[in-house]
Amino acid sequence: MADNARAKRLADLIREVVAQKLQRGIKDPRLGTHVTITDTRVTGDLREATVFYTVHGDDEDRAAAAAGLESAKGVLRSAVGAAAGVKFTPSLAFVADALPDNAKAIEDLLDKARISDEKVREVSAGAEFAGDADPYRKPEDDEDGDASS
């Protein structure tokens, strides 16, 4: 088992090599400039690496980029092996990063909450409190003869 620092360094190296190779070395039009490598994780034994990516575009672009990454997997693994200089080059698995979708969902929920808060503010603009302004009993009220409680 490799230590965590070594796995982290290898993951960082894989992220850089894959990003550079996608930008300069791969001529696949499906990959283009709209694929971004967001994160890379390597198992403790340095045998498998998971590369997370995002695609700027619609679902069709995402599917095309996934197919392009799958077809370029061998070339990218060779580039990683040449740059890393390790005994065993980790196998690469490409996973679409769900972070942008999650962030969009959270933004949508926050927008709904802002709209709901604005409606509540509008409804409560002219409202008054139900009951007295100060509903709490004070000591001077007890002196008036309410001491029987």
Side-chain angles (χ1 to χ4, degrees), residues 11 37 45 52 57 64 98 113 136 138:
I37 304 299
D45 61 357
F52 295 92
Y136 299 105
K138 296 183 177 61

Side-chain angles (χ1 to χ4, degrees), residues 13-34:
L13 178 71
I14 291 171
R15 185 180 67 242
E16 290 175 16
V17 169
V18 169
Q20 287 176 359
K21 192 73 172 170
L22 285 176
Q23 187 177 20
R24 295 189 190 116
I26 304 289
K27 302 296 184 205
D28 193 339
R30 297 175 291 185
L31 299 176
T33 59
H34 55 276

Side-chain angles (χ1 to χ4, degrees), residues 98-114:
L99 186 66
D101 296 333
N102 291 344
K104 182 168 176 18
I106 290 171
E107 284 296 323
D108 291 344
L109 291 172
L110 288 174
D111 288 340
K112 287 180 184 178
R114 282 187 205 102

Side-chain angles (χ1 to χ4, degrees), residues 7 14-15 23 33 38 60 64 71 76 80 97 102 116 120-122 126 130 143 149:
I14 291 171
R15 185 180 67 242
Q23 187 177 20
T33 59
T38 56
E60 187 177 305
S71 69
L76 294 172
V80 167
D97 198 353
N102 291 344
S116 175
V120 169
R121 253 185 250 114
E122 289 173 5
E143 295 172 1
S149 40

Side-chain angles (χ1 to χ4, degrees), residues 14 41 46-51 73 77 88-93:
I14 291 171
R41 296 187 186 144
L46 306 179
R47 296 279 182 163
E48 299 173 4
T50 305
V51 180
K73 189 183 285 190
R77 185 174 181 210
F88 182 81
T89 303
S91 62
L92 301 178

Side-chain angles (χ1 to χ4, degrees), residues 33-38 53-59 61-62 65 100:
T33 59
H34 55 276
V35 176
T36 303
I37 304 299
T38 56
Y53 67 95
T54 59
V55 178
H56 303 288
D58 58 2
D59 290 335
D61 291 336
R62 289 185 188 115

